[in-house]
Structure formats: structure tokens, C-alpha cells
């Protein structure tokens, strides 16, 4: 740590004591991450924002990573919980370690840790490609009474297309950053093959899907038609029974999840070819194109005031649901996921819809306005949506507005939460939500690299 960083950290600690665990109590430590914390913190003019960054960016590593450098087969193995829920979601775990990929070139242990995440995810998908969350051991937990096929080791079996998309995205991101194919082994190939097989079946929806799901007594966690789900008209898109929020879809073709899948399937094509799997590579690329064609065919809506934009969900029959949800993938996150350019005209119209009261889950509050979702109810705002708004913005003033809102709504904790009430940020859900914390850190690191003048601005 240089002198400037030391001084900044010391000054910050006078008013804002560090919320991180003591070094000996941290689950995983990375010299590259600590160096980034020091460098970026020194460039932040606002002491409270610097404090929040220091708390949030390493949160995943500090509190949620269970890493073994060498498992029974001599390979790294990493189990990552979400925070206050002691299970590993495919989506969350991939997103939680994603911001650390640029740092692996300077930290071999960090690289091995992320390789261990990919290996652990692959084993979970081989066990059950329809499951969204897993336990570290082969056990059954709180949802074992769900009316679906629950196997030991599965925490929850909600079929979410984005879970497989995030697995493929992380695999490609790791390979692109490191050039290392070692975690992309036979088990990984089996997981990819299983993922593609499920996607192919789910292009036809319930008509030939073996998947059913019902949860007793929870209205937004059961599928219609006795657990089979609503019918779809095949169009190239892939059905998702549940959203990234873990809530059931209203219409089965979830557009943001299909967009993520299209990008990820394109990205893994060259990896599969390099691994000597030309047929699997061709299948992935074909699916990607079918999804893109399907999106253009059935997922474009025309809004009376804003014009042509993306629907959130469709069914292939012509029905369309216009909204956005704070989770990622979301409509507002499309360029962040690599699906389109940040200045794409259709995306900008969609973005304007998402960030307005045309979106039924956009809430206007006294200190912040932003996107929430049905998972936490009308009138909620998710810090994650404010972060994605800033990450996808082309306007300095909009980004500063988001930073001010994030600073004003952490309720004195120094951490991000799942959601807060628009009229009262002290009423929040999930005090320990590592993905939102690390995503906030990613935003600050991104601004340091691309718009450093904003971090020098007084908030």
C-alpha cells in the first residue's frame, strides 16, 4: 500500500470504522484485491464512498468463499454461498467472482479459486441441470418437500435459464482472461452437454419437458397446470420456469435470460472447438442464432409513447409482458452482458421505459428512484438496479445521481442490500447479500478505469 492510500484509509477509518472481518477471520484473501482496494480508495474524494467500497468489494471473498486448493482429485474446489442463505446459486456464485477476473493475472491463488468455482458449478449441473442452487455436501435441506425431483446436494430446483447462462459466461470469461483450459475438463464438457440438452428440450416448453415444480403454500413459487407450466409456441427461444429473482415467470420465454444465453452460447463455441468438440461447438452456435432470431421475431414490442423496445417476457403466441426486474439478467443490463451496444437505439428506448413509471416496478422515493421487482413487492428499490443503471449509463450526471442514491440508502451499514423501501431506506431486506456488495465494488473499479473524474467529485 502506498503512502497516499495509507493516508486515505486512515482518514476514512476515523469517521467510518472498517466493517470487514479481522484478517484472520476472512474466508479468502487476495493480495491483488487488497492492492486494488488501496489504489482505488486513494482516488475517491468522498470518504463515505471510499468506506463503502472498502467494505463491499471484498465482501464475497471475506465472507462467502470456501476454498480448497486441492480436492480428492488434486483440483481446486470452491463453494460460494450467497451470504445469509447458506447455499450456492449458479447465478450468484458466478456473478460474485466475476469482478475479480481481471486480477487473476497478478494472483495465482485467486485464479485457482475461480477455477474451483467453475469446477463446483459443473458438478452441480451434471447432478441436475434443472437445479439453480446446491449444497456443499450431498444432503437435502429446507426445500426437500418441493413437488419436483429433489436429489441429495440440491438446495433448490427452480429451472432458471440464466443459471446455465451465468455458468457459461464465467467459463468463457475465465478462459478469455487466463487462456487456461484445465477446469474445462471432462466434467465441464458433460455439464455443457447437459445444459445444451436442457435448452433444446425447453425450446418446446412443457410439451416435451420432464420438468415440473410446485411448492406448497407459496403462490409465486408454483407453476400452472399442476407444475408443468403454461404452454408456449416454439420460436427458437428457451423457456425459463423462474426468473433470476427465483419468482415464477408470468410468460415462459424470459427475454433477458435468453439474451444472456445467446451471448454465452456464442462465446463458448471457440472453447468447445479448441477442446476437440466440433459437434457441441456447432450446436451451441446454432442455439445462439436460433435464440437471437426468436428474440427478433417475438420479443420486440411497440410502446405507445416510446416506440419499439424489448419485452420482458413473451410466450410465442403474441402475448407480451412489459416490465423490468432488478436482478441480472434484466433488460437494463443487456449491454453489460454483451448482448448489444450501450448506445443501441432499441436498448436506449427499452432503458427509458425501465427507468420510468411506465415500468410497473419502477419506484420513486424521497432519496432515490429505481427498479425493484415483485420478489420484494411494489415500492421497493434494489441497489443492484441502481448499480446497473450507473454501469450502463453514458451520462456523467446520471452516474453521479446513482452514486448519491447508493450513498444515501445503505442505512448506515456501509453495505448494499437486496432491496429497500422507496419511502424509507432504513427498511431493507437481506443485510448480508454478497453479490450486491461485490457488484457495487465492480462499479467503483469500472469508474476508476473509465471515468476517474467522477470519483474525484464531491457527492
Amino acid at each position: 500500500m502506498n503512502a497516499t492510500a495509507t493516508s486515505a484509509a486512515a482518514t476514512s477509518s476515523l469517521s467510518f470504522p472498517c466493517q470487514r472481518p479481522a484478517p484472520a477471520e476472512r474466508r479468502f484473501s487476495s493480495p491483488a484485491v487488497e492492492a486494488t482496494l488501496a489504489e482505488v480508495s486513494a482516488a475517491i474524494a468522498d470518504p463515505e464512498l471510499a468506506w463503502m467500497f472498502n467494505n463491499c468489494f471484498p465482501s464475497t471473498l471475506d465472507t462467502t468463499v470456501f476454498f480448497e486448493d486441492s480436492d480428492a482429485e488434486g483440483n481446486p474446489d470452491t463453494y460460494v454461498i450467497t451470504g445469509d442463505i447458506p447455499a450456492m446459486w449458479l447465478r450468484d456464485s458466478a456473478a460474485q467472482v466475476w469482478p475479480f477476473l481481471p486480477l487473476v493475472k497478478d494472483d495465482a491463488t485467486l485464479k485457482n479459486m475461480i477455477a474451483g468455482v467453475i469446477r463446483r458449478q459443473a458438478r452441480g449441473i451434471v447432478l441436475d441441470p434443472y437445479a439453480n442452487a446446491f449444497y456443499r455436501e450431498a444432503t437435502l435441506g429446507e426445500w426437500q418437500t418441493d413437488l419436483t425431483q429433489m436429489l441429495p446436494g440440491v438446495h433448490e430446483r427452480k429451472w432458471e435459464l440464466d443459471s446455465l447462462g451465468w455458468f457459461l459466461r464465467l467459463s468463457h470469461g475465465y478462459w478469455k482472461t487466463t487462456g487456461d483450459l484445465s477446469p474445462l475438463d471432462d466434467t465441464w464438457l458433460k455439464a455443457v452437454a447437459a445444459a445444451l440438452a436442457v435448452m433444446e428440450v425447453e425450446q418446446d416448453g412443457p410439451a416435451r419437458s420432464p420438468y415440473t415444480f410446485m411448492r406448497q403454500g407459496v403462490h409465486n413459487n408454483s407453476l400452472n397446470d399442476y407444475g408443468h407450466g403454461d404452454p408456449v409456441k416454439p420460436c427458437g427461444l428457451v423457456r425459463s420456469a423462474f426468473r433470476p429473482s427465483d419468482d415464477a415467470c408470468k410468460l415462459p420465454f424470459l427475454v433477458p435470460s435468453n439474451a444472456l444465453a445467446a451471448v454465452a452460447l456464442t462465446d463458448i463455441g471457440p472453447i468447445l472447438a479448441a477442446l476437440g468438440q466440433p459437434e457441441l461447438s456447432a450446436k451451441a452456435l446454432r442455439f445462439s442464432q436460433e435464440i437471437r432470431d426468436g428474440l427478433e421475431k417475438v420479443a420486440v414490442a411497440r410502446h405507445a409513447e416510446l416506440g419499439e423496445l424489448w419485452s420482458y417476457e413473451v410466450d410465442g403466441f403474441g402475448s407480451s409482458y412489459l416490465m423490468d426486474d432488478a436482478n441480472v439478467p434484466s433488460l437494463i443490463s443487456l449491454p453489460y452482458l454483451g448482448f448489444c451496444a450501450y448506445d443501441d437505439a432499441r436498448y436506449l428506448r427499452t432503458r427509458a421505459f425501465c427507468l420510468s413509471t411506465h415500468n410497473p416496478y419502477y419506484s420513486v422515493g424521497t432519496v432515490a428512484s429505481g427498479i425493484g421487482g415483485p420478489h420484494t413487492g411494489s415500492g421497493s428499490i434494489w441497489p443492484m438496479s441502481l448499480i446497473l443503471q450507473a454501469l450502463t449509463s453514458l451520462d456523467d450526471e446520471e452516474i453521479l445521481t446513482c452514486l448519491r442514491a447508493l450513498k444515501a440508502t445503505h442505512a448506515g451499514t456501509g453495505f448494499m442490500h437486496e432491496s429497500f423501501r422507496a419511502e424509507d431506506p432504513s427498511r431493507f431486506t437481506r443485510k448480508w447479500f454478497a453479490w450486491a456488495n461485490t457488484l457495487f465494488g465492480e462499479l467503483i473499479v469500472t469508474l476508476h478505469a473509465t471515468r476517474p473524474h467522477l470519483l474525484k467529485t464531491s457527492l
Side-chain angles (χ1 to χ4, degrees):
M1 183 183 290
N2 59 44
T4 303
T6 302
S7 175
T11 301
S12 176
S13 67
L14 293 176
S15 302
F16 303 104
C18 179
Q19 299 297 305
R20 298 177 64 187
E25 297 172 354
R26 294 170 189 168
R27 298 226 53 91
F28 184 91
S29 295
S30 164
V33 172
E34 297 301 322
T36 299
L37 283 171
E39 177 186 347
V40 176
S41 296
I44 301 174
D46 187 288
E48 186 173 357
L49 191 69
W51 172 66
M52 293 165 60
F53 171 67
N54 273 278
N55 294 333
C56 289
F57 187 52
S59 174
T60 285
L61 305 183
D62 285 351
T63 65
T64 69
V65 168
F66 296 78
F67 172 63
E68 293 181 30
D69 189 54
S70 180
D71 62 11
E73 297 179 355
N75 298 314
D77 176 47
T78 312
Y79 184 76
V80 183
I81 63 174
T82 70
D84 52 17
I85 305 176
M88 180 171 175
W89 264 254
L90 292 174
R91 169 187 54 256
D92 291 43
S93 60
Q96 282 170 250
V97 300
W98 177 265
F100 303 118
L101 279 174
L103 305 179
V104 298
K105 63 182 183 300
D106 300 318
D107 190 333
T109 304
L110 183 65
K111 172 175 171 286
N112 287 339
M113 186 274 286
I114 297 177
V117 173
I118 295 170
R119 290 180 181 277
R120 169 69 66 160
Q121 290 181 337
R123 293 204 302 274
I125 292 168
V126 169
L127 174 65
D128 186 351
Y130 280 104
N132 59 320
F134 300 86
Y135 289 117
R136 192 177 188 184
E137 308 295 339
T139 186
L140 286 170
E142 62 178 311
W143 303 122
Q144 61 185 284
T145 59
D146 284 348
L147 301 179
T148 189
Q149 180 186 319
M150 293 296 290
L151 298 173
V154 171
H155 167 71
E156 193 171 49
R157 194 175 188 253
K158 289 182 174 178
W159 160 232
E160 297 167 355
L161 173 60
D162 74 282
S163 293
L164 299 182
W166 269 107
F167 162 67
L168 299 178
R169 184 175 196 246
L170 179 64
S171 297
H172 172 261
Y174 175 87
W175 171 75
K176 184 178 179 180
T177 303
T178 67
D180 177 24
L181 289 170
S182 62
L184 313 184
D185 55 11
D186 288 344
T187 301
W188 184 83
L189 286 172
K190 290 178 182 177
V192 172
L196 295 183
V198 164
M199 290 183 194
E200 185 171 28
V201 167
E202 295 302 331
Q203 283 183 312
D204 291 338
R208 66 186 183 104
S209 173
Y211 179 78
T212 61
F213 186 96
M214 295 185 73
R215 178 170 292 171
Q216 301 177 55
V218 185
H219 73 280
N220 64 339
N221 280 280
S222 293
L223 302 183
N224 291 336
D225 193 11
Y226 301 97
H228 292 276
D230 292 315
V232 302
K233 184 176 182 179
C235 56
L237 299 183
V238 180
R239 175 181 76 142
S240 187
F242 291 87
R243 299 170 177 167
S245 63
D246 298 334
D247 290 340
C249 294
K250 284 189 179 293
L251 299 176
F253 292 137
L254 180 56
V255 172
S257 292
N258 273 274
L260 169 60
V263 173
L265 288 166
T266 297
D267 286 344
I268 66 161
I271 301 176
L272 293 168
L275 292 171
Q277 300 290 325
E279 293 184 3
L280 210 55
S281 175
K283 188 175 185 179
L285 296 175
R286 174 169 59 84
F287 280 178
S288 177
Q289 191 58 54
E290 289 175 355
I291 291 170
R292 290 179 185 274
D293 291 345
L295 288 170
E296 287 292 337
K297 181 180 178 181
V298 305
V300 179
R302 179 163 292 279
H303 190 271
E305 294 183 27
L306 299 173
E308 186 181 276
L309 44 75
W310 290 110
S311 301
Y312 184 71
E313 292 171 347
V314 295
D315 61 3
F317 290 104
S319 296
S320 175
Y321 188 22
L322 296 183
M323 61 162 281
D324 199 24
D325 189 286
N327 277 266
V328 182
S330 57
L331 292 176
I332 200 173
S333 71
L334 291 179
Y336 169 78
L337 297 171
F339 180 73
C340 63
Y342 286 82
D343 61 353
D344 176 82
R346 185 186 293 160
Y347 168 72
L348 291 177
R349 290 190 294 271
T350 306
R351 190 177 192 275
F353 165 85
C354 296
L355 296 172
S356 75
T357 52
H358 292 298
N359 175 8
Y361 290 100
Y362 182 82
S363 297
V364 178
T366 53
V367 295
S369 298
I371 303 168
H375 190 71
T376 51
S378 300
S380 66
I381 299 172
W382 286 48
M384 189 177 292
S385 74
L386 295 170
I387 295 166
L388 262 297
Q389 182 181 349
L391 281 169
T392 58
S393 177
L394 301 174
D395 180 73
D396 280 1
E397 284 305 313
E398 182 182 17
I399 296 169
L400 288 172
T401 296
C402 292
L403 291 177
R404 293 185 183 108
L406 291 164
K407 178 183 169 184
T409 57
H410 63 87
T413 66
F415 290 103
M416 300 295 104
H417 305 123
E418 178 188 52
S419 72
F420 58 86
R421 301 305 299 175
E423 76 280 3
D424 183 4
S426 69
R427 295 169 56 199
F428 58 81
T429 60
R430 298 197 67 179
K431 185 176 182 178
W432 179 19
F433 185 29
W435 178 11
N437 288 330
T438 306
L439 186 65
F440 172 76
E442 181 181 1
L443 168 62
I444 301 301
V445 171
T446 300
L447 293 178
H448 175 66
T450 62
R451 298 173 185 255
H453 58 282
L454 296 184
L455 299 181
K456 296 180 173 66
T457 303
S458 175
L459 299 179

